[in-house]
Amino acid sequence: MADNSKLHKRRQHSLIYEWAIIAAAVTLIAFVLVAGSWTWKLDGTLYDTGIVIAERPARADVVIVAIDEDSMAAQGGWPWRRATIAQLIERIADAKPKAVGVDILFTEPDYRHPEDDQLLAAALAGTPNVVLPILSVRGLQLMPARSIAGDARLGRIGLAADNDGILRRVTLEPDPSDERMPHMALVMAQAAGVRLQPSYGGEYLIPFAGPSGKIRRISASSILRGDIPSSMLENKFILVGVTTPGIADSYAIPARADTLGNRMTSVEVTANILSGLLDGRHLRQLDKHYVGLISAAAILILLIVFYRVGPTVSVALMSAATTLTPLLALALLSYADVWFPPVSVALS
């Protein structure tokens, strides 16, 4: 009897030892999956689905003044003379908007028409809460000419897509050691006196309101002709920029699975970012360390269950966890504004 008891204990210890090795190995695999971002493509696809599911109504107080194809046909090709842009800005300013973001670079004086620069500078100086763009290109800051910008606020434009070419995030408020300016959307909200959350530092996941065209657009040509009543622009956040295909910068954004592709112009992306800020949405992605810990905890729980109840129940639980984990991630994104990349947990 004593020998049998010792043999049983030895087998138990051996089994515990084997389970400990398996648990450690699988936990290590989970951390490697998370740390190495091996599942980023699948996570990205699931995230895109969540963003599409979480579409919301467009804000009525964010308006894009689009330099579109009709405007190009009416005023000639791009670039326009700055006197025309000055007239457009004046018409917008007369309507008393909350803030105006001009997504057009004026990096150099117009040597052919210096009087146009004077008109543009006067129009900008007469527009409250106007924000002009800065663009960073290979470490260089493309600033608006001082003779045009005057004392206007400055905000960064320019965006960087993820490795798969899809735009999902932006840095709104760079680290204090970073020489880059805050993003134009953030500067516009601050200029209008909007009370925002304490900090938007780090990467900000863009809470797109929906596909391209969701946010209201008014053609610049309509404003220049005087066809738009001031009430349509009054107390609004106005973003002025080029939307003409082939001229405007555009980015691939999260889209429905049945959509061949969905591109959005730079000025419309800024409008979506601004809308998210005004809505108080602050999408946050869990740090890799937390994702790794969650993966490890899930694995340990499943192994303990497997050890206690046997393979049949455990396989059912593992199948359920594989299915429910992505659904949980989508729910957290939709209702808690937290993105938890679930694929590494589901695969582990």
Side-chain angles (χ1 to χ4, degrees):
M1 290 289 293
D3 291 340
N4 288 338
S5 175
K6 287 181 180 179
L7 183 61
H8 178 70
K9 286 182 179 179
R10 205 173 296 153
R11 285 176 178 172
Q12 237 182 355
H13 290 157
S14 176
L15 187 60
I16 292 172
Y17 181 69
E18 288 172 4
W19 276 102
I21 293 175
I22 293 171
V26 177
T27 302
L28 180 62
I29 290 171
F31 270 102
V32 169
L33 284 173
V34 173
S37 300
W38 295 104
T39 62
W40 70 268
K41 195 165 186 177
L42 292 172
D43 283 321
T45 300
L46 190 64
Y47 171 84
D48 295 346
T49 301
I51 287 293
V52 171
I53 292 172
E55 285 185 13
R56 64 193 191 282
R59 290 184 65 96
D61 59 350
V62 176
V63 177
I64 298 170
V65 172
I67 301 175
D68 53 13
E69 292 171 290
D70 290 342
S71 302
M72 294 287 186
Q75 300 295 329
W78 190 256
W80 287 355
R81 282 191 58 168
R82 289 176 179 175
T84 303
I85 299 174
Q87 184 183 2
L88 178 62
I89 299 297
E90 286 175 347
R91 295 280 177 88
I92 294 171
D94 288 342
K96 297 181 173 54
K98 287 183 180 178
V100 179
V102 183
D103 192 355
I104 304 170
L105 292 170
F106 306 109
T107 56
E108 294 182 356
D110 187 342
Y111 297 107
R112 293 181 60 189
H113 305 286
E115 67 279 7
D116 284 17
D117 281 357
Q118 295 174 11
L119 292 171
L120 180 56
L124 293 170
T127 304
N129 300 332
V130 66
V131 182
L132 293 181
I134 294 175
L135 181 63
S136 296
V137 179
R138 296 177 182 177
L140 297 176
Q141 298 264 39
L142 301 181
M143 309 275 290
R146 187 66 182 175
S147 59
I148 296 171
D151 295 326
R153 292 176 172 86
L154 303 178
R156 178 173 42 83
I157 59 172
L159 301 156
D162 287 350
N163 291 335
D164 58 358
I166 297 177
L167 178 68
R168 298 185 179 93
R169 66 199 79 228
V170 63
T171 301
L172 290 179
E173 202 170 40
D175 188 88
S177 62
D178 196 327
E179 295 181 356
R180 293 179 299 169
M181 299 285 290
H183 193 271
M184 176 180 280
L186 181 61
V187 177
M188 287 180 67
Q190 292 171 337
V194 177
R195 296 186 66 180
L196 300 173
Q197 297 185 28
S199 174
Y200 278 95
E203 288 187 338
Y204 178 77
L205 296 173
I206 303 172
F208 290 100
S212 180
K214 186 81 176 282
I215 292 180
R216 186 177 189 180
R217 295 188 192 186
I218 297 175
S219 177
S221 60
S222 299
I223 295 175
L224 289 169
R225 287 195 305 265
D227 296 342
I228 302 299
S230 61
S231 59
M232 292 181 68
L233 303 175
E234 186 179 3
N235 289 324
K236 303 291 195 299
F237 292 86
I238 309 297
L239 281 147
V240 182
V242 179
T243 61
T244 305
I247 298 176
D249 291 336
S250 66
Y251 302 87
I253 66 167
R256 293 182 178 88
D258 59 354
T259 304
L260 292 177
N262 192 6
R263 298 193 70 83
M264 185 174 284
T265 61
S266 172
V267 67
E268 193 173 3
V269 172
T270 300
N272 273 270
I273 297 170
L274 177 59
S275 294
L277 292 175
L278 297 177
D279 283 340
R281 298 201 69 193
H282 191 179
L283 301 185
R284 301 173 301 281
Q285 179 168 332
L286 283 184
D287 185 86
K288 287 183 178 180
H289 297 92
Y290 292 116
V291 178
L293 288 173
I294 292 171
S295 300
I299 292 165
L300 289 174
I301 291 170
L302 286 173
L303 287 173
I304 291 170
V305 170
F306 188 85
Y307 180 76
R308 292 290 184 184
V309 302
T312 304
V313 176
S314 297
V315 169
L317 287 174
M318 289 173 67
S319 299
T322 302
T323 303
L324 293 176
T325 301
L327 294 178
L328 175 62
L330 292 176
L332 286 172
L333 181 62
S334 297
Y335 298 106
D337 285 348
V338 173
W339 172 238
F340 158 58
V343 176
S344 60
V345 178
L347 291 179
S348 302

